[in-house]
Amino acid sequence: MTEALGSTATPESGRPEDEVAARKGRRGGKRGKKGPFGRLALFYRQIVAELRKVVWPSRGQLSTYTTVVIVFVVIVIGLVTVIDYGFSNAVKYVFG
């Protein structure tokens, strides 16, 4: 086989990046140095940090969105009820 021009890896040594990673070890960063409780605490701190970034709706927006959802659900319930009533009458008519 022919090697690509400018390749630094040799067949017996593998890729140079793999060798460096093998010498350093895979554990690193914040997660590698802490135990399970430390990682859990870090996880919850990250959750709180992300929740602080959220743009929360005002009370007026929240009541408007809630009203819209409730009205939409009532309309869909009415639509499904009418369709169900129509299908039940059609089945009664067809099958007796």
Side-chain angles (χ1 to χ4, degrees):
M1 291 271 187
T2 60
E3 291 281 332
L5 187 61
S7 175
T8 59
T10 59
E12 60 273 354
S13 69
R15 294 184 5 204
E17 298 89 21
D18 292 340
E19 291 176 12
V20 172
R23 275 186 269 147
K24 284 185 178 179
R26 283 294 189 192
R27 297 181 66 171
K30 293 180 182 177
R31 198 175 77 185
K33 295 181 174 65
K34 296 182 179 179
F37 292 113
R39 290 194 304 256
L40 190 62
L42 175 65
F43 176 69
Y44 283 117
R45 280 196 306 270
Q46 289 173 346
I47 288 174
V48 170
E50 287 298 321
L51 285 175
R52 286 187 181 137
K53 296 177 188 177
V54 173
V55 178
W56 298 98
S58 68
R59 187 175 294 272
Q61 290 173 331
L62 188 62
S63 64
T64 301
Y65 297 155
T66 304
T67 304
V68 167
V69 167
I70 290 173
V71 167
F72 178 75
V73 167
V74 167
I75 290 172
V76 169
I77 287 173
L79 182 66
V80 169
T81 302
V82 168
I83 291 172
D84 183 51
Y85 181 74
F87 277 134
S88 66
N89 281 342
V91 168
K92 285 179 188 174
Y93 179 75
V94 170
F95 295 111

